[in-house]
Amino acid sequence: MSARRIFILWRHYIYSIKRNKGRLVDIFVWPVLELLVFGFTANFLNQEIQNEAIKLMAILLGSLVFWHFFAKISGEVYQQLFDDVLSKNLKNIIMSPVRVGEMIIALIGAACTKLVVSMGILLFVAKIIYGFNLLVDWRYGFLVLTLVLWGVAMGLLVSSLLFLLGNKAMTLAWVVTGIVQPFSCVFYSREILPGIFRMISYLVPSSYVFEIYREMIKTGNFNWQLWGLSIGLSGLYFLLGILLFNFFLKLSRKTGVLARI
Amino acid sequence: MIIEAKGLTKGFGKKKVVNGIKIQIERGEILGLLGKNGVGKTVLMNILTGLILPNKGVVKFEGVSIESDLQSYWEKINWASAYQSLQLHASTKENMETFAGIYGVGKDEIDEVLTLVEMNEDKLKNRKLFLLSSGEIGRVNLAKALLNRPEVLFLDEPTAFLDPVFKKKLIRILKKINKEWGTTIVFSSHQLDEVVSLCNRVIVLRNEKVSYAGKVLNNKKLISYF
């Protein structure tokens, strides 16, 4: 492992937003716009229902912000890799002294850096416009930890598909967070889901996070047992992500997919 | 001998592209790789660079299989292809800084290689790659491939998008680095004139095999082996 190479790659991935203005919109502007829509919707519903106990604002905005922790980091991990594929630059990086572990650390490090800035802006806007502050309870940090680990794992799993399917994986990647969202029960309880969907949702770490969050809003209690389950599951997916990234990269040398990327 | 490959066989699905190929590359030589379109030149080069694995056979660098430590092999060689690029949204300078950092070389080396490929003017250095012409991107690719002063330089149709003036200059640059740095060069091209003027030795591929390996012949004779 070389700290110099990790730093150089981290900087390379961070620069992707400086160089490409479209990516700036994707990371910073889009989440804020979504926050505005959900915030005003929650305001409207609160006025209509006139029932403070429902705490719609907290549930809708909080869930949306939490969801972005997962969606942004998973998207960033694979998007950084895809940026190099689209430039036909990935082979230059792979056929260099860079080791796979260094690449993975740099991908995760750069994605986390962008997440901190992106979520900082989102939290700031939520506080200024809606007076909604997610930083009031330190226990939320544990929920964020699960979502970041699960997001990184998902990013690595999607990235590994690139080495299995080639450029076709890029089309598939866009829908992955879309597929995960219904099973994450972001805005509704798990009980709403029909049988098979509910079974699948038990395998999705984010579903526990949103369950814990809603319970916190209603009762103030943090369900540590569910959190343990969610972080354990995320850890497993993270290990699986690293293993598959390595495995499919090696496999792509055998199948020739790497030469066609 | 710097590179030795034996029994190289590679196929995709049922189609074999190269079959039982043996290649020996001497240190300091410039080897031309020739053959019709689709004959397997790029596949062979991808195997020799370690980008893809053969179904059968082995590639050795200085007598040791490249698979035993691929990363250290990739520290010593480099490659460029007309069909590849660096990061398009970054400038030439930013791209060079990234790869200089990866290879552990400094600003002097960046200036040296950019000067060699005539991309050292500020306006060219600071321009994002997607604003450069294909030929200029090819020159930046070549500069990247020279950054680590490779022991072996693999070039896959490097002249494909170059203008005639720079094509001639490229031949001079390659001869210069071969002489001054001692870099071994493996060069694939469809331009026989380039191969004749640059290479010491050629390999021609036909029907999955090597149809000719030896000294450079005149165009007519070379074509007869296609």
Side-chain angles (χ1 to χ4, degrees):
Chain A
M1 284 278 180
S2 155
R4 186 196 72 238
R5 286 197 295 261
I6 292 172
F7 170 73
I8 292 290
L9 275 183
W10 172 85
R11 194 183 63 180
H12 170 70
Y13 295 132
I14 289 289
Y15 273 15
S16 65
I17 45 173
K18 179 193 136 197
R19 295 163 184 152
N20 189 345
K21 302 294 181 284
R23 302 271 290 111
L24 271 175
V25 173
D26 191 38
I27 295 169
F28 301 118
V29 181
W30 187 243
V32 171
L33 289 177
E34 216 172 4
L35 181 84
L36 290 176
V37 170
F38 272 75
F40 292 131
T41 307
N43 265 344
F44 170 71
L45 288 174
N46 271 346
Q47 283 167 12
E48 289 292 302
I49 297 167
Q50 296 290 327
N51 183 354
E52 277 189 43
I54 293 175
K55 297 174 178 169
L56 268 171
M57 174 71 93
I59 289 178
L60 278 181
L61 284 192
S63 300
L64 181 78
V65 171
F66 278 128
W67 175 251
H68 272 295
F69 275 103
F70 166 77
K72 283 294 128 197
I73 198 146
S74 62
E76 268 313 305
V77 169
Y78 63 73
Q79 191 55 51
Q80 293 171 146
L81 205 64
F82 292 174
D83 279 349
D84 276 325
V85 174
L86 291 170
S87 283
K88 292 181 178 284
N89 186 37
L90 188 64
K91 277 186 260 181
N92 286 315
I93 292 174
I94 286 175
M95 284 170 61
S96 77
V98 169
R99 281 159 208 272
V100 181
E102 293 165 357
M103 187 192 269
I104 290 175
I105 292 171
L107 280 169
I108 296 172
C112 285
T113 309
K114 290 176 200 170
L115 182 76
V116 167
V117 181
S118 169
M119 295 313 291
I121 294 171
L122 202 64
L123 289 171
F124 178 73
V125 173
K127 175 82 176 102
I128 293 296
I129 299 182
Y130 305 112
F132 175 75
N133 189 358
L134 206 64
L135 304 174
V136 288
D137 194 328
W138 58 272
R139 294 173 301 177
Y140 289 147
F142 288 92
L143 301 183
V144 169
L145 190 65
T146 297
L147 290 169
V148 169
L149 188 61
W150 165 223
V152 166
M154 180 54 75
L156 290 174
L157 288 166
V158 173
S159 302
S160 70
L161 290 179
L162 177 71
F163 302 119
L164 180 69
L165 305 171
N167 294 2
K168 278 180 272 181
M170 290 199 279
T171 323
L172 193 66
W174 302 114
V175 295
V176 164
T177 42
I179 291 171
V180 171
Q181 197 174 27
F183 303 106
S184 293
C185 309
V186 183
F187 301 111
Y188 44 81
S189 160
R190 194 193 303 277
E191 280 64 46
I192 297 291
L193 295 175
I196 184 75
F197 278 53
R198 195 182 307 168
M199 296 295 284
I200 296 170
S201 77
Y202 285 113
L203 299 171
V204 178
S206 37
S207 69
Y208 301 102
V209 168
F210 294 106
E211 214 170 319
I212 296 166
Y213 177 63
R214 280 189 293 272
E215 198 180 321
M216 283 179 80
I217 295 294
K218 284 177 191 163
T219 66
N221 293 330
F222 189 97
N223 190 330
W224 289 102
Q225 207 175 352
L226 278 189
W227 181 77
L229 207 56
S230 71
I231 196 81
L233 211 48
S234 299
L236 278 179
Y237 286 124
F238 177 67
L239 286 177
L240 187 67
I242 289 176
L243 286 174
L244 285 183
F245 190 98
N246 258 301
F247 176 75
F248 286 141
L249 178 55
K250 282 181 186 157
L251 186 70
S252 70
R253 293 185 60 227
K254 278 187 191 165
T255 57
V257 166
L258 193 56
R260 293 196 296 273
I261 287 174
Chain B
M1 194 181 316
I2 193 162
I3 288 178
E4 184 184 21
K6 279 184 196 163
L8 294 184
T9 300
K10 185 70 186 174
F12 301 101
K14 286 180 181 172
K15 189 183 182 308
K16 271 195 180 140
V17 183
V18 290
N19 190 4
I21 282 181
K22 180 184 176 185
I23 288 181
Q24 293 180 330
I25 303 171
E26 297 297 332
R27 185 178 284 279
E29 75 170 334
I30 304 181
L31 177 70
L33 206 50
L34 293 169
K36 286 182 188 170
N37 287 330
V39 79
K41 298 188 294 295
T42 300
V43 169
L44 182 59
M45 205 170 269
N46 285 339
I47 294 171
L48 294 174
T49 56
L51 181 67
I52 61 173
L53 275 170
N55 300 125
K56 284 184 196 163
V58 64
V59 179
K60 288 180 179 176
F61 178 76
E62 294 178 326
V64 181
S65 167
I66 61 170
E67 292 305 318
S68 65
D69 189 354
L70 206 51
Q71 252 72 28
S72 96
Y73 178 58
W74 284 338
E75 271 175 43
K76 292 170 189 161
I77 67 154
N78 216 319
W79 76 295
S81 162
Y83 306 103
Q84 291 296 312
S85 172
L86 303 182
Q87 177 54 252
L88 290 172
H89 289 283
S91 67
T92 300
K93 190 175 163 227
E94 287 169 336
N95 270 304
M96 286 297 119
E97 282 169 355
T98 297
F99 283 96
I102 286 173
Y103 286 103
V105 299
K107 282 196 167 132
D108 291 346
E109 283 84 354
I110 295 176
D111 283 341
E112 183 186 20
V113 294
L114 286 179
T115 306
L116 264 176
V117 300
E118 296 181 1
M119 290 292 289
N120 209 18
E121 273 180 58
D122 279 346
K123 67 171 185 182
L124 286 175
K125 264 200 310 194
N126 296 321
R127 198 174 288 167
K128 289 184 179 184
L129 256 62
F130 71 82
L131 295 172
L132 298 177
S133 70
S134 304
E136 286 167 333
I137 291 174
R139 280 148 66 180
V140 179
N141 281 344
L142 182 65
K144 184 259 0 173
L146 298 175
L147 263 177
N148 60 331
R149 288 202 171 202
E151 289 186 43
V152 186
L153 176 62
F154 292 91
L155 298 172
D156 190 10
E157 299 188 33
T159 56
F161 300 116
L162 298 180
D163 62 66
V165 178
F166 196 79
K167 270 183 192 176
K168 283 189 176 173
K169 281 183 184 166
L170 177 70
I171 302 296
R172 283 205 297 274
I173 293 166
L174 295 177
K175 280 182 175 172
K176 184 180 167 175
I177 63 157
N178 171 254
K179 192 178 170 188
E180 292 178 10
W181 298 357
T183 301
T184 305
I185 297 171
V186 182
F187 180 95
S188 84
S189 176
H190 288 292
Q191 306 298 318
L192 290 180
D193 292 342
E194 290 168 9
V195 173
V196 169
S197 67
L198 175 69
C199 300
N200 317 121
R201 204 162 64 86
V202 291
I203 285 176
V204 185
L205 298 181
R206 182 172 65 190
N207 298 333
E208 308 160 13
K209 304 269 187 193
V210 173
S211 58
Y212 175 79
K215 65 178 185 179
V216 181
L217 306 171
N218 65 40
N219 289 2
K220 203 176 167 186
K221 279 186 181 167
L222 277 176
I223 288 172
S224 71
Y225 288 102
F226 273 46

